[in-house]
């Protein structure tokens, strides 16, 4: 059965991308461009809401940003000097049009649109309470819980109602909101998900990543701080810190895989961080070889770092077909196998008769690694050594990244020896947790006084309580309820 599924099924899937702009006459067109740069964060649906001084104008649709917003009549209807946008990968709620963001609510105190990157971990508990009190939900996305909390709050200003709502939620989030007098952006107190602030002429911009500023030629000002709320109105920008201070726990997987390599995330070049991880990997788990080959595209910077450190030639020994398109086939095991062959092909001239080191960013289920190793052997490699630029992914993410249930994660079920056999490699090694932290500029590794990152998918150390999923003590319960 054919369905539309754009992803390599063995990758962790990105969460969502958010964008907001205030102070330009064609805010929606700017937003469409920003979302286009954030397309890698979610490919299932996209939406924009703009405000023209009188009314809110919205368009939301399933599909890629380009498919939806390249149509001039669509952008032409989205008049306004302020807009917010969202590109979605569904981490909660189904892929239904009613779940596509931004969500809009006509509140007694004015209109409010909101878009969210992340996951609330007490969504179910709050939703039950709200339904008991009479709230009628239109969607199954956790973002709507925030809308209902805002609608039922007592404060008179939308921003104060938003603060009241956010004080009741747990989870990882970057929200952007659009009001009739401005835009607002806010990060959760731990700063798990990213949000940056930029300037384009007189306009202010907020976006998940700096690549969305670059596409507009906007200047990067700074990251929105963990727990900070930034409000932009005709009077300029104000900053509030409405939550108790918490330790910074930025998602380390943004550096490893999610963010675009040309983005600067939390002051660090994603590309450079990935190269440094590759260099750590070469120091920690070097092996005699003739060629270093990345698993494209996300393994490329780490493979470059590995090759430079090891002094071994780097070659594009696997070529990725970028035109596979969005038509994918129902991911049965048989079809997953076909999917990998559709996407990657061996560059035989640089493989045959060689001892190959393959570098990839992560192993999730292990299906892609298995097929890639098989493909490289079939192309004549004499040895195939797999090196992974992240520690073993042993735990599921509950903070806005779609990971499989824990028992589907290869590294939660097998030790290195068994995994090596499973993927069919001559050897397999992962960068260590400390090696990954050193690459992030923490010479003391994870045990430095302020690790600064969430690394729960490698350690099980969840920095935000998983209220919907667990009583906070049993990790087994987490894996059961994460289905
Ligand atoms: Fe990121 Fe992993 Fe933490 Fe999820 S669990 S927020 S993917 S580091």
């Amino acid at each position: 059965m054919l369905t539309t599924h754009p992803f390599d099924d063995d990758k962790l899937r990105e969460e969502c991308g958010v964008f907001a702009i205030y102070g330009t006459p064609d805010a929606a067109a700017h937003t469409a461009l920003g979302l286009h740069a954030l397309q890698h964060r979610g490919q299932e649906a996209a939406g924009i809401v703009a405000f023209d001084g009188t009314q809110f104008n919205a368009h939301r649709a399933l599909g890629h940003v380009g498919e939806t917003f390249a149509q001039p009549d669509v952008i032409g209807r989205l008049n306004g000097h302020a807009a917010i946008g969202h590109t979605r990968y569904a981490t909660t709620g189904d892929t239904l049009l009613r779940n596509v963001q931004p969500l809009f609510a006509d509140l007694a105190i004015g209109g409010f649109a909101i878009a969210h990157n992340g996951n609330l971990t007490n969504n179910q508990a709050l939703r039950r309470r709200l339904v008991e009190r009479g709230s009628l939900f239109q969607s199954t996305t956790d973002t709507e819980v925030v809308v209902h909390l805002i609608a039922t709050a007592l404060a008179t200003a939308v921003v104060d109602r938003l603060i009241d709502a956010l004080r009741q939620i747990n989870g990882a989030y970057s929200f952007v909101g659009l009001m009739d007098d401005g835009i607002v952006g806010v990060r959760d107190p731990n700063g798990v998900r990213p949000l940056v602030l930029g300037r384009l002429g007189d306009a202010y911009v907020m976006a998940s990543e700096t690549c969305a500023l670059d596409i507009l030629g906007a200047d990067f000002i700074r990251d929105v701080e963990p727990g900070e709320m930034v409000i932009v109105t005709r009077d300029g920008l104000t900053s509030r810190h409405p939550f108790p201070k918490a330790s910074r726990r930025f998602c380390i997987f943004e550096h490893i895989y999610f963010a675009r390599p040309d983005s600067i995330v939390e002051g660090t070049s994603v590309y450079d961080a990935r190269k440094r991880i590759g260099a750590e990997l070469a120091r920690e788990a070097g092996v005699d070889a003739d060629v270093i080959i990345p698993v494209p595209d996300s393994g490329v910077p780490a493979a470059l770092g590995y090759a430079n450190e090891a002094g071994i030639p780097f070659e594009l020994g696997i070529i990725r077909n970028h035109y596979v398109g969005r038509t994918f086939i129902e991911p049965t095991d048989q079809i997953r196998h076909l999917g990998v062959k559709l996407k990657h092909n061996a560059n035989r001239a640089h493989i045959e008769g060689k001892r190959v080191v393959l570098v990839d960013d992560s192993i999730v289920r292990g299906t892609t690694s298995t097929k890639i190793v098989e493909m490289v052997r079939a192309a004549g490699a004499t040895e195939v050594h797999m090196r992974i630029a992240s520690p073993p992914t042993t735990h599921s993410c509950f903070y806005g990244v779609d990971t499989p249930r824990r028992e589907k994660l290869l590294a939660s079920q097998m030790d290195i020896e068994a995994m090596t056999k499973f993927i069919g490699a001559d050897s397999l090694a992962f960068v260590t947790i400390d090696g990954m932290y050193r690459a992030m500029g923490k010479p003391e590794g994870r045990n430095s006084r302020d690790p600064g990152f969430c690394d729960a998918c490698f350690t099980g150390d969840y920095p935000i309580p998983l209220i919907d999923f667990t009583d906070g003590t049993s990790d087994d319960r987490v894996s059961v309820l994460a289905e």
Side-chain angles (χ1 to χ4, degrees), residues 192-193 251-253 258 397 399 401 454-457:
V192 175
R193 304 261 70 94
C251 169
I252 206 160
F253 231 114
F258 300 134
C397 176
Y399 303 142
V401 174
C454 173
D455 57 15
C457 45

Side-chain angles (χ1 to χ4, degrees), residues 17-21 31 35 47-49 83-87 101-102 115-116 176:
V18 295
F19 185 92
I21 188 164
T31 303
L35 293 181
I48 295 176
V49 179
I84 64 169
H86 187 262
T87 179
Q101 299 187 32
H116 172 205
V176 292

Side-chain angles (χ1 to χ4, degrees), residues 12-13 364 393 395-398 401-405 409 457 482:
L12 299 185
R13 289 169 192 159
V364 182
T393 304
H395 290 73
S396 301
C397 176
F398 298 89
V401 174
D402 186 46
T403 38
R405 289 165 48 186
L409 296 169
C457 45

Side-chain angles (χ1 to χ4, degrees), residues 121-139:
T121 54
N122 62 342
N123 166 50
Q124 294 299 336
L126 286 171
R127 181 179 279 252
R128 270 195 301 275
R129 201 183 79 201
L130 284 160
V131 168
E132 278 163 18
R133 289 183 189 169
S135 291
L136 298 172
F137 279 79
Q138 303 290 314
S139 75

Side-chain angles (χ1 to χ4, degrees), residues 184-243:
V184 58
V186 58
R187 282 178 82 189
D188 71 75
N190 298 100
V192 175
R193 304 261 70 94
L195 189 66
V196 298
L197 179 66
R199 193 90 204 239
L200 180 68
D202 293 334
Y204 280 100
V205 184
M206 286 183 261
S208 295
E209 292 182 36
T210 57
C211 62
L213 306 181
D214 295 340
I215 195 171
L216 299 172
D219 294 324
F220 169 67
I221 300 176
R222 63 178 175 84
D223 290 285
V224 175
E225 286 292 307
E228 182 185 11
M229 175 178 276
V230 173
I231 304 144
V232 182
T233 66
R234 62 190 301 175
D235 300 324
L237 183 146
T238 51
S239 164
R240 295 171 70 171
H241 289 84
F243 313 112

